[in-house]
Amino acid sequence: MRLTTKGRYAVTAMLDLAFHSEKAPITLTDIATRQIISLSYLEQLFSRLRKAGMVTGVRGPGGGYQLSRTPEEINIAEIISAVDEQLDSTKCGGKGNCHNNGPCLTHDLWMGLSAQIYDYLSNISLAEILSKASVADIAKSQDQVLKPFL
Amino acid sequence: MRLTTKGRYAVTAMLDLAFHSEKAPITLTDIATRQIISLSYLEQLFSRLRKAGMVTGVRGPGGGYQLSRTPEEINIAEIISAVDEQLDSTKCGGKGNCHNNGPCLTHDLWMGLSAQIYDYLSNISLAEILSKASVADIAKSQDQVLKPFL
DNA sequence: AAATAGTTGACTATTTTACTGGGTTTACCT
DNA sequence: AGGTAAACCCAGTAAAATAGTCAACTATTT
């Protein structure tokens, strides 16, 4: 489990999607405009999210993306690990022989630590974050940005 | 708060130090050999750890590094943030005006999330990790590697 | 048929990571 | 005093990850 800006972009985009796509699909262009993320970068991220089965793409006019599951059933950890390809962060790839045929300190340590963070984040759903009033307010205010173009 | 391999290197090195430097200072060369991290990279990391007041350098023969505080008083979060220079991960630098003069979704969201992870990691001390038998065992077995050279 | 929007892949620039190699300074030891 | 072991400091660099661009293509709706 790594925490980088890439994962943050993905979580932000998924939140935006969760907030807006209840009825109709939402285009990446809309998300790109609202969250100020490059469209093509979003495409990359959503390609991974789609393969991970978290979003569904709808082609053609009126198309866009929708969540494949309810916001309650999507947690932060899986979003992050969907976009962060994890090169096995241990030299041995988890075999435990990376250090002169013995396990390295990293194993019991970082692996466990990262597992706990994963555990922590996997217990936070998109719905939970959206339910915070302040987040909903921000999302609502961001809608104003697109209004002039509609 | 970011979680990258850089932070993992730092935590691993600090654990090694905590385990070995109770009496005499430990050289970076020793840590580099045991943990298989490049010496010069360790120097970079320890330069930051020293500036953060977590380790003390002792020059000259017989010198090396020691923890400035007890392992109980050093937590994982501060190690990671000492080496991970945090470019403010929000475009506005925390001013909350990054998104058309309104706060971006990232603010309440990722900032809070990352604060919670920090909180979590700041409650785990070096001593706590070392107290786990498995970690101590690994550290002990790694000592064998250096023996032939002594 | 035309327009919309996802899909794919190759390609580029920037930044961060990880490492190399050179030096200087400090302290200990013979 | 001179040698040596170590921290300390810096400039550079190779590899990787991040972030973004571009262009061609496919599917769908109107």
Side-chain angles (χ1 to χ4, degrees), chain B:
Chain B
M1 171 111 280
R2 291 189 309 157
L3 286 186
T4 64
T5 52
K6 195 176 192 173
R8 200 182 71 232
Y9 275 129
V11 172
T12 305
M14 284 295 279
L15 260 182
D16 185 286
L17 192 59
F19 187 79
H20 290 97
S21 74
E22 269 181 49
K23 310 156 207 162
I26 293 297
T27 69
L28 290 189
T29 308
D30 281 3
I31 299 180
T33 307
R34 272 194 295 263
Q35 306 306 332
I36 316 183
I37 307 172
S38 105
L39 175 59
S40 305
Y41 195 43
L42 272 181
E43 280 176 356
Q44 277 180 44
L45 298 179
F46 272 78
S47 166
R48 284 171 183 273
L49 293 170
R50 187 173 54 85
K51 279 164 192 160
M54 312 174 65
V55 298
T56 317
V58 180
R59 289 181 162 203
Y65 280 98
Q66 274 179 312
L67 299 182
S68 304
R69 290 171 257 150
T70 66
E72 285 79 14
E73 291 166 331
I74 297 177
N75 67 65
I76 305 301
E78 61 178 334
I79 296 173
I80 292 173
S81 44
V83 297
D84 261 1
E85 76 262 51
Q86 71 218 55
L87 41 113
D88 40 43
S89 48
T90 52
K91 278 162 190 159
C92 56
K95 282 175 219 132
N97 62 349
C98 47
H99 186 275
N100 287 61
N101 282 327
C104 49
L105 262 188
T106 313
H107 262 107
D108 254 9
L109 174 54
W110 195 263
M111 293 298 99
L113 215 58
S114 124
Q116 285 187 57
I117 291 166
Y118 185 95
D119 209 59
Y120 173 75
L121 290 180
S122 69
N123 278 311
I124 303 177
S125 70
L126 282 182
E128 228 165 305
I129 294 172
L130 278 182
S131 71
K132 290 191 182 178
S134 54
V135 174
D137 283 349
I138 294 168
K140 216 172 289 176
S141 83
Q142 287 180 348
D143 287 345
Q144 308 305 318
V145 179
L146 274 183
K147 287 247 173 90
F149 305 110
L150 298 179

Side-chain angles (χ1 to χ4, degrees), chain A residues 23-28 50 55-67:
Chain A
K23 308 155 209 163
I26 293 298
T27 69
L28 291 189
R50 188 173 55 83
V55 299
T56 317
V58 180
R59 291 180 162 202
Y65 280 98
Q66 273 180 315
L67 299 182

Side-chain angles (χ1 to χ4, degrees), chain A residues 2-3 8 15 34-36 89 91 99 103-106 108-110 116-117 120 129 134 138 142, chain B residues 2-3 8 15 34-36 89 91 99 103 105-106 108-110 116-117 120 129 134 138 142:
Chain A
R2 292 189 309 158
L3 286 185
R8 197 180 74 233
L15 259 182
R34 272 193 295 263
Q35 306 307 333
I36 316 182
S89 48
K91 280 162 189 158
H99 185 274
C104 49
L105 261 188
T106 314
D108 253 10
L109 175 54
W110 195 262
Q116 285 187 55
I117 292 167
Y120 173 75
I129 294 171
S134 53
I138 293 168
Q142 288 180 347
Chain B
R2 291 189 309 157
L3 286 186
R8 200 182 71 232
L15 260 182
R34 272 194 295 263
Q35 306 306 332
I36 316 183
S89 48
K91 278 162 190 159
H99 186 275
L105 262 188
T106 313
D108 254 9
L109 174 54
W110 195 263
Q116 285 187 57
I117 291 166
Y120 173 75
I129 294 172
S134 54
I138 294 168
Q142 287 180 348

Side-chain angles (χ1 to χ4, degrees), chain A residues 96-145:
Chain A
N97 62 350
C98 47
H99 185 274
N100 288 62
N101 282 326
C104 49
L105 261 188
T106 314
H107 262 108
D108 253 10
L109 175 54
W110 195 262
M111 293 299 99
L113 215 59
S114 127
Q116 285 187 55
I117 292 167
Y118 185 94
D119 209 59
Y120 173 75
L121 290 180
S122 69
N123 278 311
I124 302 176
S125 70
L126 281 182
E128 229 166 305
I129 294 171
L130 278 182
S131 70
K132 292 191 180 178
S134 53
V135 173
D137 282 351
I138 293 168
K140 215 172 287 178
S141 84
Q142 288 180 347
D143 287 345
Q144 307 306 317
V145 180

